[in-house]
Amino acid sequence: MPASFFPVATALKDSFRAGYTHKTFQADLGAAIDTALEGFDFKSHTDKVIVLLTDGEDNEGKAQAAARRAAARGVRIYVFGLGRPDGGPVVAPDGSLARSETGQPVI
């Protein structure tokens, strides 16, 4: 693995931890794609790629529309699914089990 990968991986890890503020643990893949699009310089003629890590849930249902917007601007999206098909408990950033608004464990 190239040495230049490690600072990038560390920055990503830190941003995930720092940016994880949703108390309801709702996935909004459309917002994730749109946020990634905001970070590109479309005046530059370089390849643009989004790597999307997901458990497959999209509570807002906006992922396909956002992916179409990305494709229309020439951005490729590579999706990597994480987790088990039958689900599993979600661990909150503090290490505890995430709970829904009704107090039930989030699976």
Side-chain angles (χ1 to χ4, degrees):
M1 194 172 303
S4 61
F5 173 79
F6 293 104
V8 172
T10 300
L12 286 171
K13 175 186 70 72
D14 292 343
S15 70
F16 289 147
R17 187 170 301 279
Y20 200 90
T21 58
H22 295 87
K23 295 187 189 238
T24 59
F25 298 95
Q26 298 293 312
D28 186 350
L29 300 182
I33 293 167
D34 287 336
T35 299
L37 289 173
E38 291 173 9
F40 289 121
D41 175 5
F42 287 99
K43 294 176 187 170
S44 169
H45 295 290
T46 58
D47 290 340
K48 290 157 184 63
V49 173
I50 295 171
V51 177
L52 183 62
L53 307 176
T54 177
D55 64 359
E57 291 216 26
D58 181 25
N59 299 95
E60 300 300 316
K62 299 176 184 174
Q64 287 186 347
R68 285 188 192 98
R69 285 191 294 279
R73 299 186 80 181
V75 177
R76 292 185 181 133
I77 301 176
Y78 295 95
V79 180
F80 292 87
L82 306 171
R84 301 184 329 217
D86 59 338
V90 174
V91 179
D94 66 3
S96 66
L97 289 182
R99 303 233 172 236
S100 70
E101 293 171 352
T102 62
Q104 298 299 312
V106 176
I107 303 293

